[in-house]
Amino acid sequence: MTRSAGDWWLVETLDEDLSPTLVAVDAQARPWTDLARLRRKVGQARAGVVVEVVRRCRAAGAPVRVSEGELLVVAEPVFCAFGGVHGVQLWVGAVDAPVLPKRAVAAWDWAADTELAYHGPDLEELVFARDPAHVRVIRTPPDAFGRMVRFDGRIDYFTMVARIELGGHWQGQVDMLGDDERVRRFQMIARAVPKLRRISGLMHAIPDDAAGVAAADPDMVMLRAVSQHSGVGVGIIELSTAMIYEWAGPPLPPLDRWAVERPTVDPRDLAALQAACVELARNPGASRRLTMRVCFSVGGWVTAQAELVAVSTAESGHGLLRVWSEDPASTG
């Protein structure tokens, strides 16, 4: 009649302007499968019941449990930090079958205009194995990307981020280093939501026995290696967006807050950085010197000297931004 008991389906509802799609069955990815295709699994009439339960769960933001004849459908919402429903976990089975505990799934959003991420309930505990006492809702890009041991399809992801077009979507696997020093593998699902100027996403773990040995991204290993003990802050920057998504070497005072906070950048200096990113994206290996005035939440304006270097790698599109507040030859 249906799949065996214990298979939780994950339905993404990331953009209310688009139809929900099935993206995972248990820990197995199902790339953007239209819910109309569920009739192949449960039959035409029962597929209608399942789709209606998803709709009700999403609209109400509450669990829904429906039995019809021999069919039982259970839906559990996955909430984002703003209280919306980014996904629905769905169990479909026989009415007399036990409903096993659902899998851990969490949601997040990234706001393009502030470059800040908003982590939904239980995301940091799931992805970073973080103690609840250290959980925060709002994070900067380096807080998340700095934990990525492997990020397959990085360029495709950042292409979607740069465009933020209706229908823009990405899914793939990422390996994350937890606070407990364990590496875990996740399926990440993301959609562009243009009207909100956001990227919205879901994360769920792939069991350890399916992950195997996590292989580090060789490009990122190289970038981190050349950044050690340099005496200046070294940020890994995505050239199409001019977004610093990891600090391979943390900035030194008075720029040290840049490692944990996105500062306000003088508009003229930000425009110059963005223009340099566009130019250097076409010229791997080239570099540009810049002066950037930045202001953090505490204190006044600080003048940072910077050097932007485009890096030629197997996954092109990023570079290194070295920053300091004085001549680097005189530091450490």
Side-chain angles (χ1 to χ4, degrees), residues 134-316:
H134 299 142
V135 165
R136 289 182 7 218
V137 173
I138 301 175
R139 295 284 185 179
T140 63
D143 289 329
F145 289 106
R147 291 285 183 159
M148 286 186 173
V149 176
R150 182 174 181 175
F151 185 4
D152 292 337
R154 181 191 303 111
I155 296 303
D156 290 338
Y157 173 82
F158 281 119
T159 297
M160 177 193 66
V161 169
R163 295 172 179 170
I164 313 186
E165 298 173 337
L166 183 64
H169 61 280
W170 182 94
Q171 72 164 274
Q173 296 183 359
V174 296
D175 292 348
M176 305 295 295
L177 178 65
D179 291 352
D180 58 358
E181 299 301 320
R182 278 189 56 194
V183 174
R184 296 172 177 85
R185 184 162 295 177
F186 296 87
Q187 181 189 4
M188 186 165 80
I189 301 106
R191 276 196 184 276
V193 187
K195 71 179 182 181
L196 298 177
R197 296 277 299 153
R198 289 181 191 160
I199 304 296
S200 296
L202 295 166
M203 302 281 282
H204 73 99
I206 295 173
D208 290 344
D209 60 357
V213 178
D217 183 330
D219 293 341
M220 299 309 294
V221 171
M222 180 272 292
L223 289 177
R224 290 167 181 142
V226 300
S227 304
Q228 299 303 309
H229 310 298
S230 63
V232 299
V234 182
I236 302 174
I237 188 169
E238 210 286 317
L239 295 175
S240 66
T241 60
M243 180 178 72
I244 300 169
Y245 61 88
E246 179 181 344
W247 286 102
L252 302 179
L255 302 173
D256 51 319
R257 287 200 61 80
W258 210 336
V260 296
E261 178 184 336
R262 179 183 182 270
T264 299
V265 181
D266 181 283
R268 292 168 297 182
D269 299 336
L270 179 59
L273 172 63
Q274 292 169 334
C277 285
V278 171
E279 179 185 354
L280 267 60
R282 299 190 294 263
N283 297 283
S287 64
R288 292 289 180 274
R289 283 288 299 269
L290 302 161
T291 298
M292 300 171 61
R293 296 183 69 242
V294 298
C295 184
F296 300 99
S297 58
V298 177
W301 288 91
V302 178
T303 299
Q305 302 301 319
E307 180 184 35
L308 177 64
V309 181
V311 180
S312 177
T313 65
E315 287 194 0
S316 60

Side-chain angles (χ1 to χ4, degrees), residues 38-75:
L38 291 179
R39 63 180 179 271
R40 298 180 182 178
K41 298 181 181 296
V42 300
Q44 183 67 47
R46 289 168 174 162
V49 175
V50 172
V51 172
E52 177 60 19
V53 168
V54 170
R55 187 197 66 78
R56 286 174 53 189
C57 181
R58 179 186 191 181
V64 176
R65 185 183 183 101
V66 171
S67 58
E68 184 170 304
E70 297 180 356
L71 182 73
L72 174 65
V73 182
V74 179

Side-chain angles (χ1 to χ4, degrees), residues 13-58:
T13 58
L14 296 167
D15 188 340
E16 63 181 15
D17 293 334
L18 300 174
S19 298
T21 63
L22 179 69
V23 291
V25 174
D26 198 34
Q28 303 301 313
R30 295 290 186 270
W32 316 105
T33 303
D34 193 307
L35 293 188
R37 295 178 60 184
L38 291 179
R39 63 180 179 271
R40 298 180 182 178
K41 298 181 181 296
V42 300
Q44 183 67 47
R46 289 168 174 162
V49 175
V50 172
V51 172
E52 177 60 19
V53 168
V54 170
R55 187 197 66 78
R56 286 174 53 189
C57 181
R58 179 186 191 181

